[in-house]
Amino acid sequence: MPIAVDIDVMLARRKMSVGELADRVGITPANLAVLKNGRAKAVRFTTLTALCEVLDCQPGDLLRWEPEDTPDE
C-alpha cells in the first residue's frame, strides 16, 4: 500500500502502549490495530485529529507516502 502508517514509531517515542492510546483516542484496540498495521482502507479526520492530539504530533508524523514498486517499462 502506498500509504505507510507510523503509529508504532510515535508510540515508542511517547512510551505509550497501544491499549493506552486506544483508550485516550476513544477507539477499540482492534480498530487501532487495523490502522496501525496498515490494513485500514480509510481513516476519519476526527480519528486522525484525536491521534495527533494524544500523541502531540502532526498527521505527517503518522502517515507517509511510499511509491509503489512498478516494473520497468
Side-chain angles (χ1 to χ4, degrees):
M1 178 179 259
I3 301 295
V5 181
D6 292 328
I7 291 176
D8 282 339
V9 173
M10 294 306 297
L11 282 171
R13 287 182 183 166
R14 303 300 187 251
K15 297 181 171 94
M16 188 180 298
S17 70
V18 172
E20 181 183 352
L21 179 60
D23 286 344
R24 292 178 62 183
V25 169
I27 62 175
T28 66
N31 284 341
L32 182 57
V34 168
L35 179 60
K36 182 173 81 69
N37 295 323
R39 295 189 315 260
K41 299 287 183 194
V43 61
R44 293 181 186 270
F45 280 119
T46 54
T47 301
L48 185 57
T49 299
L51 286 166
C52 289
E53 287 176 355
V54 170
L55 293 170
D56 188 28
C57 66
Q58 294 294 313
D61 296 325
L62 301 176
L63 304 172
R64 63 186 157 80
W65 176 76
E66 291 182 343
E68 293 186 59
D69 293 332
T70 56
D72 294 335
E73 294 180 22

